Every structure is written in C-alpha cells, then in structure tokens.
Amino acid sequence: DDNGDDWAVKALASGNSLVFQNDTSGSLATKMTLGTTGILTLTGALTLSNAEVISNATDDTVRVASEDSSTVLEVYSPNTSNGDATLALTTDAGADNGDHWTIKHTGSTNSLEFQNDTTGSAATKLTISKTGVVTGVGVGMTGFTSPLVQATATTITAAQCGSTFYNAGAVQMELPEASTVPGCKLTFVTLNASNFDINPDTADIIVLLTNATGDAIRNATIGNTLVLEAVSASQWVEISSVGTWTDIN
C-alpha cells in the first residue's frame, strides 16, 4: 500500500549483476549491487548491528563513524610472530614512483615507520621508536620555530626542552635535574639589563662556567645569549654563548 513496501531482487541481463531494489521513493530504485566479480556497491551507508557506520557521503570522502563517544579505526595483525600492521595510501592510481605512502607499525620493534616508494620500492623516511625517539633520513626539518618564553622564577620542565627564554626584569630560572633530561638544550637571551640568573639542581654543575655543583650563573647585558645542554646525569655544558655569564656563588 505504501512507498517502501516493495523489495525486488533482480538479475540484470546487462552486466549480469544482482541488484536489490526498493520503492521507498515511489518507484523501484537500486539500493545495493553485487557484481559478478564479487564487488558489493552501496547507495547509502553501511550500518552494522552495533551502530558503527562506514559511509561514502560525498564523492571524495569515506567516513568512519560511531555512536560512541570516540571512534577507533583499527588495522590489526593477528600474527603473533611479530606481524606488521600497515596502512597504505596511494594517489594518482599508483602510476609513478612516489605515489605510495605506507604507515607501518613494525611488529619486530614496535616502531612506527613512514615509508615512500620514491625510488621504486618502499623505503622508510621517518621512524618513531616505541620510546619516542624520532629518526629520519632527510636533510633536516623546516617550518618549525622554537618556543619563545618569558622567564619566570620557576623550574624549567622537560616539555620545555628546545625553548628560548628571555628576561623582562631580574629573575632566576631553575634548570631541570640533568639526569631527567639528557640531551635537553635550552637557550637564554638577556633582553633586559637586569640580573638574569640560571640555577642548576644542587647535585648538578654547569661545567666550566661554575666551579661547584649547585652554583648559578648570571648575565645582565642586553643581547647576550647562552645555550646549555644536559650531557650527563649531573652536568650541563655550554654549547655556545655571547657575552660573559658569571658564577655568582
């Protein structure tokens, strides 16, 4: 009696595909097509029993959605012998070298690798180890700037490694304990003609610039700079400097 009451399952003479049709709009229209090669084509979203949805809402977008508060798209390797999980991205129909990117979770090392076939076969361009170490094969990183932070009387955190600190008045900054931030580089710039003091942990020493553990250094000349790096569990060393930074203890 009503639109949507009729379903038809039809084998098409042209192409020999199997179509599933419904008259929800008043006349039979194809909702799903099964091709002779086993390709299943939908006209709407694929909705599973638990309400997860895969849809092709627009010509160039495939959307994965869920009624849950968060959605997880999982690429899973059931191989218990260090199997890999790989997501492959291809453009230009894969016609040329460089058209293929893969994002691979390598089972043997649990690292995340970004690979490209610019030379004809997949080669790793960037690796993130499971401990967070990033390794690349390129010539450098561009487009990034160091965080620029006004100095305050606080202890610098590990998350601030790589930052540049400047003073706007007299201030003393506390270095993080060297043992907790090996390889951490910090830059200091005096932008105010007031005492800019850098103080290490009581068990650490700023090598050559001070003569004892726990000694702080000072500069008060506009334009002077200092780069320090944590090189051991108890040592900071001067990588470069402009002007004189004086031991004040």
Side-chain angles (χ1 to χ4, degrees), residues 104-113 127-130:
K104 178 186 289 187
H105 176 183
T106 304
S108 59
T109 60
N110 285 324
S111 60
L112 186 66
E113 299 180 10
T127 301
I128 305 174
S129 75
K130 62 184 179 181

Side-chain angles (χ1 to χ4, degrees), residues 75-237:
V75 179
Y76 176 76
S77 171
N79 189 328
T80 58
S81 300
N82 296 325
D84 299 333
T86 303
L87 177 65
L89 305 172
T90 302
T91 187
D92 194 27
D96 307 304
N97 291 348
D99 286 348
H100 301 84
W101 275 98
T102 57
I103 303 173
K104 178 186 289 187
H105 176 183
T106 304
S108 59
T109 60
N110 285 324
S111 60
L112 186 66
E113 299 180 10
F114 294 80
Q115 301 179 335
N116 187 270
D117 69 336
T118 185
T119 58
S121 59
T124 300
K125 307 300 181 181
L126 184 73
T127 301
I128 305 174
S129 75
K130 62 184 179 181
T131 59
V133 176
V134 179
T135 306
V137 298
V139 296
M141 300 178 68
T142 61
F144 293 89
T145 59
S146 299
L148 188 60
V149 183
Q150 180 175 321
T152 57
T154 187
T155 300
I156 298 168
T157 67
Q160 292 177 303
C161 288
S163 298
T164 297
F165 298 91
Y166 66 93
N167 72 324
V171 64
Q172 176 172 295
M173 295 206 78
E174 310 295 326
L175 293 175
E177 185 182 345
S179 63
T180 66
V181 289
C184 176
K185 286 185 179 180
L186 299 168
T187 301
F188 302 93
V189 180
T190 305
L191 291 185
N192 181 277
S194 302
N195 291 336
F196 191 6
D197 297 348
I198 312 300
N199 189 44
D201 181 78
T202 55
D204 295 345
I205 187 171
I206 304 176
V207 178
L208 296 182
L209 295 183
T210 63
N211 61 5
T213 58
D215 280 7
I217 55 176
R218 172 177 294 169
N219 184 273
T221 303
I222 294 176
N224 283 185
T225 64
L226 174 67
V227 178
L228 295 177
E229 181 173 357
V231 295
S232 76
S234 61
Q235 294 174 308
W236 290 86
V237 298

